[in-house]
Amino acid sequence: MDCKKFLMKLTMKLLEKSPLRYSIVRNLSCLDPRNMTDKKKCLNKMNHILNSMIEAKHVDENVCDEILMEFEDYLDNVALKHSDFSEFSPENSRVDEFFYETMNTNKYRNLWKVVEMLLLLSHGQATVEKGFSINKKVEVENMKELSYVSQGLICDYINSTGDSIHNIKITNIMRTYVSNARQKYMKYLEDQKLLSSQNKKRKSLTSDEIQELKNKKRCLEKDIKALIRSADELAEKAEENNDVTSICKSNSLMRSAKAKEEKLLEITNAIEDLEKKIG
C-alpha cells in the first residue's frame, strides 16, 4: 500500500513538472510526420494549438483561417502523398529539417512561421545550461573570464569532433600557434599592464579636473548668495526710500546672479560627466 502511495505521488509530481500539462504540448503530436495520415485529428489538434497561440498573442487571429487552410493543403498534397511521412524515423532524422525541406515554401509561408515557433519550444535553455555545466567542469580557482571563454571554446570544438580528443587533427597552424602561445601571453600581460597604467593616469587627471571644478563651483555658489543678498538689500532700500537708482542696481545684481547660476549648472553637469567616466 505504501509503495502504491509512493508511486501515485511520484507520478503526480512528474505530471506537475511535465510539459504535458500544457494543452499546446499535448497537441503537438499533429506535427509528428507519422501521425499526419490522420487528417481530421491533425486539423483538430492544430486548431487547438492556434487557439493557445492566439491567447498568448503569438499569432494574429486574422490569419488563423489561412494557417488552417495551408495545413489542410499540406496534409492533402504533401503528407498523404509521400511515404516519407509514414516511414519517418526520429532516431535517424530531425523533424525540423524534415519540415524545412517540405514546408518552407511561399505556398505555406504562414503555416511555416507557426511550425517554426512550435519546433523551438522544446529547446528551452538547454544550450545556456550546457554552457554553465561546461564552465563548472573547467572551473579553477582565480580563473578569469577570458580563460573561461577560451576553455569553453576548446570544449565546444572537442564536442564537435565527436567528443574525443583522438578525433582532433593536429595541423601545422595549431603547432605554430601553440609554440607562440607563451610569447603572446607575455605580450598580453604587458599590454594589460600598460593599459592599467594609462587608466590610472587618466583617472588621476580626471580626479584633479573634478576637484578644480568643485572649487569653482563653491566660489560661484558664494558669489551667487552674495549677489542675491545685496540685490535684496537694495530692493528693500528702494522700496523704503522710493529710490529708482537702487532698483536699477538691484536688477543688475540679479541678472549677474542669474548668469552665474547658468555657469554653475554647466560646471555641475561637467562634474557629473567626469565622475561617470571614472566610475
Side-chain angles (χ1 to χ4, degrees), residues 31-34 36 74 78-79 82-89 93-104 112 119:
L31 293 180
D32 186 336
R34 297 166 297 180
M36 286 186 165
Y74 181 80
V78 181
H82 294 83
S83 59
D84 293 345
F85 284 79
S86 58
E87 296 172 1
F88 179 80
S89 172
S93 304
R94 288 171 56 111
V95 71
D96 53 347
E97 292 177 355
F98 184 82
F99 282 129
Y100 181 82
E101 293 172 359
T102 58
M103 192 183 291
N104 187 23
W112 173 243
L119 292 176

Side-chain angles (χ1 to χ4, degrees), residues 104-116:
N104 187 23
T105 62
N106 190 51
K107 185 178 181 181
Y108 304 118
R109 62 182 181 278
N110 294 313
L111 174 63
W112 173 243
K113 287 179 183 177
V114 172
V115 171
E116 199 173 18

Side-chain angles (χ1 to χ4, degrees), residues 252-273:
S252 177
L253 290 173
M254 288 300 292
R255 283 194 294 271
S256 297
K258 189 174 181 181
K260 286 183 180 289
E261 283 176 347
E262 291 176 358
K263 182 67 177 176
L264 179 64
L265 181 61
E266 290 178 8
I267 290 174
T268 303
N269 291 334
I271 291 171
E272 289 177 357
D273 291 339

Side-chain angles (χ1 to χ4, degrees), residues 129-147:
E129 289 172 4
K130 183 181 177 183
F132 290 148
S133 178
I134 290 172
N135 285 348
K136 187 69 177 176
K137 288 179 182 177
V138 302
E139 187 175 2
V140 178
E141 192 175 353
N142 295 327
M143 186 182 284
K144 292 189 176 180
E145 181 184 358
L146 192 59
S147 299

Side-chain angles (χ1 to χ4, degrees), residues 37-54:
T37 52
D38 192 338
K39 177 183 171 181
K40 185 177 179 181
K41 187 180 287 187
C42 284
L43 284 171
N44 186 43
K45 290 189 174 186
M46 178 57 76
N47 190 41
H48 285 301
I49 288 172
L50 291 174
N51 287 333
S52 298
M53 295 184 79
I54 289 169

